[in-house]
Amino acid sequence: MSIHWWMSIGYLIIFITGTFMSRLPREVFIRPSLYDFHKSMAILVMAVLTWRILVLLRVWWRKYTKKFPKFTPEWFQTVALHTSLYIFMWAVPIAGFLLSNSFKSNNVKFFGILLPDIFPKNSAMVEIGRSLHFWLAYTFLAFIILHTIQQRKVVRSLWRKFAKLINFQNSLSRD
């Protein structure tokens, strides 16, 4: 589960920086640095995603070779939602690569290390990449909200623990 939370923080950072930087005027000096940070975080999260998928496949293999799941409508719904989330976790950054590489060659760095282009420079693909990246990101956000609603018991439990921690720290600071 810790991988889950590290990835959720990573995607939150990516979404916030992406939303913020895309609204900045081109002449703002920090904008190129934000783009580089945004891309670096996307690469990092995709690396963790790959590792997570390999771990999950291994866990599933061990679990389901011993006993098949009960194929209930709830099981199919959960599998469909999680599969969609994994597809979006992969597709949004790939669309970002399409946008970056189409706009300019050698345009993606991982914390300063230049990465090879996945897609060729192609000005005709810039708008397609931009639209794909935008719409996939917001659709991904909608699926995250669905996932949060589906896991509302877990979210409520975590919120109660967080509130207790805050109340405990407040009581310490008053003493």
Side-chain angles (χ1 to χ4, degrees):
M1 278 308 284
S2 65
I3 299 171
H4 173 276
W5 292 109
W6 283 110
M7 287 184 65
S8 65
I9 290 166
Y11 279 106
L12 179 64
I13 290 168
I14 292 167
F15 192 81
I16 289 169
T17 58
T19 303
F20 179 71
M21 71 187 190
S22 65
R23 297 184 193 309
L24 288 176
R26 289 197 184 276
E27 54 276 353
V28 173
F29 76 96
I30 198 167
R31 191 171 190 248
S33 298
L34 278 174
Y35 271 86
D36 287 341
F37 177 73
H38 177 80
K39 293 171 192 178
S40 294
M41 286 298 297
I43 294 162
L44 179 63
V45 172
M46 282 189 76
V48 174
L49 173 66
T50 303
W51 175 55
R52 184 176 180 189
I53 289 170
L54 293 173
V55 168
L56 279 174
L57 289 174
R58 205 169 135 207
V59 168
W60 277 18
W61 179 258
R62 286 184 180 164
K63 181 178 178 180
Y64 291 137
T65 54
K66 292 177 184 173
K67 183 182 176 189
F68 281 114
K70 293 182 180 178
F71 297 112
T72 63
E74 293 81 20
W75 184 86
F76 281 110
Q77 180 184 8
T78 300
V79 168
L81 178 59
H82 283 87
T83 301
S84 299
L85 286 167
Y86 279 93
I87 290 169
F88 284 116
M89 283 187 267
W90 178 83
V92 174
I94 293 298
F97 278 103
L98 173 65
L99 170 59
S100 288
N101 292 160
S102 296
F103 181 72
K104 180 180 172 188
S105 294
N106 299 319
N107 198 19
V108 179
K109 296 176 187 166
F110 178 64
F111 296 109
I113 300 169
L114 184 64
L115 298 180
D117 291 344
I118 298 174
F119 302 98
K121 181 180 177 183
N122 182 349
S123 58
M125 291 300 290
V126 171
E127 276 309 309
I128 293 169
R130 183 175 285 123
S131 291
L132 269 174
H133 193 55
F134 175 86
W135 287 110
L136 285 171
Y138 280 98
T139 306
F140 180 34
L141 181 61
F143 275 76
I144 291 169
I145 292 167
L146 284 174
H147 176 59
T148 304
I149 291 167
Q150 184 189 41
Q151 298 296 321
R152 64 187 163 273
K153 288 180 183 177
V154 175
V155 172
R156 270 190 253 144
S157 171
L158 289 171
W159 184 256
R160 281 193 296 267
K161 288 177 185 176
F162 179 70
K164 284 181 185 178
L165 178 67
I166 295 299
N167 288 335
F168 177 73
Q169 288 181 348
N170 286 338
S171 68
L172 286 178
S173 65
R174 284 186 228 141
D175 295 336

